Amino acid sequence: MILEEALDEFEIIRMIIDTIGQPKPRFSKIGDDVAYLPKKRGKVVIKSDMLVEKTDVPKGMDLWQVSRKSIVMCVSDFSAKGVVPSAALISLGIPRGMKESEIRELARGFKIAKEEFGIEILGGDTNEADCIIIDCCMVGFADKIVERKGAKPGDLVITSGFFGYSSSGLKIMLDNLKANPEFKESAVSSVVMPNPRLRLGVALAKRNLMSSSIDSSDGLAFSLHEIAMHSKVGIEINNLPTTDDVKNFAEMNHLSLNDLVLYGGEEYEIIATIPKDKLYEAQRLAKRMGERIITIGKVTDDFPKVRLLLDEREIEIERKGWIHLK
Amino acid sequence: MILEEALDEFEIIRMIIDTIGQPKPRFSKIGDDVAYLPKKRGKVVIKSDMLVEKTDVPKGMDLWQVSRKSIVMCVSDFSAKGVVPSAALISLGIPRGMKESEIRELARGFKIAKEEFGIEILGGDTNEADCIIIDCCMVGFADKIVERKGAKPGDLVITSGFFGYSSSGLKIMLDNLKANPEFKESAVSSVVMPNPRLRLGVALAKRNLMSSSIDSSDGLAFSLHEIAMHSKVGIEINNLPTTDDVKNFAEMNHLSLNDLVLYGGEEYEIIATIPKDKLYEAQRLAKRMGERIITIGKVTDDFPKVRLLLDEREIEIERKGWIHLK
């Protein structure tokens, strides 16, 4: 039996490079002070997102899912902006004494994400920290990005998927709430294996179909408020993007369905506004890709009100979601 | 008296933007899912570096110096590669309950660095963590970068400054070693207010004077080994780049001068190789900028040996420095 020993930063870097492989030609190899990527047309688009094990990772998540998710967090933002990501840097904080097999798991998650989203990993940094910390910095190129501002009264509000799964999944993982087996699987999966809609976002942006857009990782309510605020518009929701499975789970556990759907977070869906006359084209496009576009409401001129209109009842949607340090 | 209360992530972001200001026109404003910067010629150069309070910040360092240093760490790499940095993203890990005045201090350090190095800060991410964690991701443009490989036998080895100050400064700060007041000040200053040689590095690269180059933050010995390894050359050092002040400090505390100078770290100087016939031009250039170039040895064909030749004694320089998690 071979005992696993703790690794130093250079052994860690070597192991990660061995697992993920070196970048394609025209990108820099991993190992110099800085990395570079080939220039393309338009603007250089960048994003960084930090995952902290202690606050962002529920127990029960595999290490390769953690490292994959650290990349998904950035990819999701690129999806909403309609930009193809090109490359990433990874800064790693590693607790002292982490095992070789655990590092290998992390590296495998990076490799999975690299292949899944077609990005090159060009390097990064390794440090000692109290828990796993992964900061992903992503770079891409675009002539223009779809911004949070741009929504016009009369536009339709859409999402790329159903909400309530990840908030339910978190409650199942953290508080051990009851759920029927199939729902449990899909709810937990939406937490540990989030699926950003990169191809859809890029396709919609390419055809100029979205007037504004945001990544939903701070929750549906908060994201709608962001679009309202940046676009200086109001929003009226008349269709909660959720499923009977989520409703059943809410009833079974005496939870508020609205809370699960509106005030969760980490869904990694696209929330966008689309001019009315472009909806059909957007839906056809989504269908061809096996994706969906769910119309949930419309943009109004009642800035900055965000309201839910269901069964003739009107509810104010609050500007809240998952907020760090709150 | 107004009690300071803990801030949530949005209040933190707002305060930082208020302090550092929004980026120049043509750069994205802070606040969307991704940031962008205007395209320039050549390659897109990126670098990320993570500072972890618990392992990277000695007691006695002000918070604005910590945040400034997190940016210096990246700027130093750009200096050695001869690339002007253009913009940065900051991912922040913040301990719960950090005070408004402390966040303001951090923000002030970012602003100081932003102005000192002429970079735009385009956004980032805020999280909860056990101690302050700052991951800086920096982006710039260059037609080519000076790599670690490229040194040729016969080239001269140079540094942009003296070594031993930051290792001495750390010992003064951590172990309270004795030192005369002036040396104490400059040694501690080299730890808390490091001074990367950005203008010098960019000027040397522009005139194509360096055949290889590296940032010295892992220590002189380690960096020399990196150049030797990547360039497949040997290196012979016959002049330790240090001062009588460091020598006195070493004697006063019975420390090895060689250890202080060779195996310290965090000096943020440029270590480079220069073809012999270009040394004069490089030195004149440095002098005009108020900088210095210290010739410390030469490149040999004795790959991968890195040796110190002093007073007819030959010592092997080990491939070691400050290694995280070791």
Side-chain angles (χ1 to χ4, degrees), chain A residues 9 32 54 130 135 137 324, chain B residues 9 54 130 135 137 324:
Chain A
E9 59 178 317
D32 210 308
K54 205 166 261 181
D130 276 344
D135 193 56
C137 175
H324 274 111
Chain B
E9 59 179 317
K54 205 167 260 184
D130 277 343
D135 194 55
C137 176
H324 275 111

Side-chain angles (χ1 to χ4, degrees), chain B residues 252-300:
Chain B
M252 197 187 288
N253 292 284
H254 310 289
L255 297 168
S256 151
L257 177 67
N258 284 1
D259 280 359
L260 286 179
V261 173
L262 288 169
Y263 305 115
E266 306 235 317
E267 271 99 357
Y268 301 110
E269 299 288 350
I270 297 169
I271 301 173
T273 56
I274 294 188
K276 248 184 188 151
D277 58 353
K278 293 183 172 171
L279 180 67
Y280 179 65
E281 188 183 348
Q283 278 176 326
R284 257 198 346 185
L285 187 67
K287 202 169 177 184
R288 273 208 307 273
M289 318 178 88
E291 298 285 355
R292 58 167 73 83
I293 282 181
I294 304 160
T295 310
I296 64 168
K298 64 177 190 214
V299 178
T300 72

Side-chain angles (χ1 to χ4, degrees), chain B residues 68 71-72 75 85 112-119 194-196 198:
Chain B
R68 176 187 173 276
I71 289 183
V72 163
V75 169
I112 288 168
K114 169 182 167 159
E115 289 170 359
E116 188 174 351
F117 304 112
I119 51 168
N195 181 22
L198 182 59

